[in-house]
Amino acid sequence: MATVQGSNGRIEIFEDFFGGEDIVANTAATRSFGGSGLRVLGQGIAETDSGITVGETDGNNGVGILTTTDEANHSCGVATSQGFVVGKMGTIVAEARVRLPAIANREVFFGFSDVNTDTVSLEDDVFHGNGTTITLTASDGAGFLFCSELTDSADWHGIYAGGTTTGETTSTSVDLDDIAVAGEFQILRLEIAENGTCRWYIDGELKQTKTGAVSTTVDLACQLVVETKTASALTMDVDYFYVSAARDFTI
């Protein structure tokens, strides 16, 4: 039987952080956020000081404030389900407008990975930077990594794993040469083609292209996570979170 395709050929997930919020005092290990289909996750969100508040920033836009608990290597983030397969659903696009209030003592990841547990930690489970080394704990994925523990502690890095091109573990080889400026919003955009080729954009400028960067067959989740590297609660502001992919009509 031939594959029948409907008129709704793309999946789109968009969260504007304009309404609804995750109560910080909520102690559930994971919970849904708003009506966009995202969920809140991370190591430490079951604590009463971690979660996502929503409000106006500078008088405009709804902005989500992701807040970690006050323990090192604990995180807070939003994520989709693990339902994206590059070879069947590309080109996949993920975009977020983010702002770091400060760049010290924190690690941030935005992109896709095959690790999507309730208590996900960047350092222990997904991707992590230290010195000039990128640790690719997750088997598959790609995205933007910022880490104050890297030698180049102010730049975004474009990391990847699981594709036909071996994931790069030397940070200088994936340094996007774009500084995360404290207090300023930046637009991060990742495009993944059906063949696993990835393109990283910051504020509309193409920063890196890698052929065969990710697996075309592994189930991936889109995630935006901030993690504190010290015993203090830290935050990240998110103006919006967007994911678009072709619908898989073969299932």
Side-chain angles (χ1 to χ4, degrees), residues 14-18 54-55 57 60-66 95-99 185-187 224 236-242:
F14 181 73
E15 177 57 62
D16 206 14
F17 299 95
F18 214 88
V54 174
T57 299
N60 298 296
N61 299 339
V63 174
I65 304 171
L66 280 62
E95 184 174 298
R97 185 170 184 253
V98 303
R99 175 172 62 183
F185 273 110
Q186 291 178 290
I187 298 175
L224 174 62
M236 177 173 64
D237 298 335
V238 187
D239 183 17
Y240 63 80
F241 178 110
Y242 171 77

Side-chain angles (χ1 to χ4, degrees):
M1 178 178 173
T3 300
V4 178
Q5 297 191 13
S7 58
N8 295 306
R10 289 198 71 81
I11 297 167
E12 291 192 312
I13 299 171
F14 181 73
E15 177 57 62
D16 206 14
F17 299 95
F18 214 88
E21 80 181 333
D22 173 64
I23 305 301
V24 171
N26 191 337
T27 57
T30 185
R31 50 258 192 179
S32 62
F33 185 87
S36 59
L38 298 181
R39 68 188 182 104
V40 185
L41 79 174
Q43 178 67 25
I45 65 163
E47 304 298 329
T48 57
D49 60 350
S50 180
I52 304 175
T53 55
V54 174
E56 295 182 356
T57 299
D58 302 330
N60 298 296
N61 299 339
V63 174
I65 304 171
L66 280 62
T67 305
T68 72
T69 190
D70 59 352
E71 298 180 57
N73 302 328
H74 283 52
S75 58
C76 177
V78 288
T80 68
S81 64
Q82 199 168 325
F84 295 98
V85 179
V86 171
K88 296 180 178 180
M89 303 172 73
T91 295
I92 301 175
V93 176
E95 184 174 298
R97 185 170 184 253
V98 303
R99 175 172 62 183
L100 303 180
I103 62 173
N105 301 317
R106 71 198 67 211
E107 189 161 28
V108 175
F109 175 70
F110 174 58
F112 293 85
S113 87
D114 63 341
V115 179
N116 199 36
T117 59
D118 294 349
T119 58
V120 67
S121 161
L122 298 182
E123 181 157 343
D124 297 332
D125 304 317
V126 190
F127 304 119
H128 170 60
N130 187 275
T132 58
T133 299
I134 303 292
T135 300
L136 305 173
T137 306
S139 299
D140 295 272
F144 296 86
L145 182 72
F146 171 87
C147 185
S148 60
E149 295 180 338
L150 283 168
T151 300
D152 192 342
S153 60
D155 272 349
W156 291 101
H157 293 73
I159 62 172
Y160 55 95
T164 54
T165 300
T166 302
E168 182 59 65
T169 58
T170 302
S171 65
T172 52
S173 297
V174 290
D175 190 331
L176 300 180
D177 292 324
D178 199 295
I179 294 173
V181 180
E184 293 187 10
F185 273 110
Q186 291 178 290
I187 298 175
L188 310 178
R189 180 182 176 94
L190 179 70
E191 298 179 358
I192 309 179
E194 284 183 273
N195 61 1
T197 295
C198 290
R199 293 177 174 84
W200 289 257
Y201 297 82
I202 298 180
D203 294 333
E205 183 179 347
L206 179 62
K207 294 294 183 178
Q208 177 176 267
T209 301
K210 292 291 181 181
T211 302
V214 297
S215 169
T216 59
T217 59
V218 172
D219 294 340
L220 302 174
C222 187
Q223 305 157 325
L224 174 62
V225 181
V226 59
E227 184 163 294
T228 178
K229 314 312 292 184
T230 185
S232 297
L234 298 181
T235 65
M236 177 173 64
D237 298 335
V238 187
D239 183 17
Y240 63 80
F241 178 110
Y242 171 77
V243 185
S244 174
R247 186 177 301 279
D248 178 12
F249 283 110
T250 66
I251 59 174

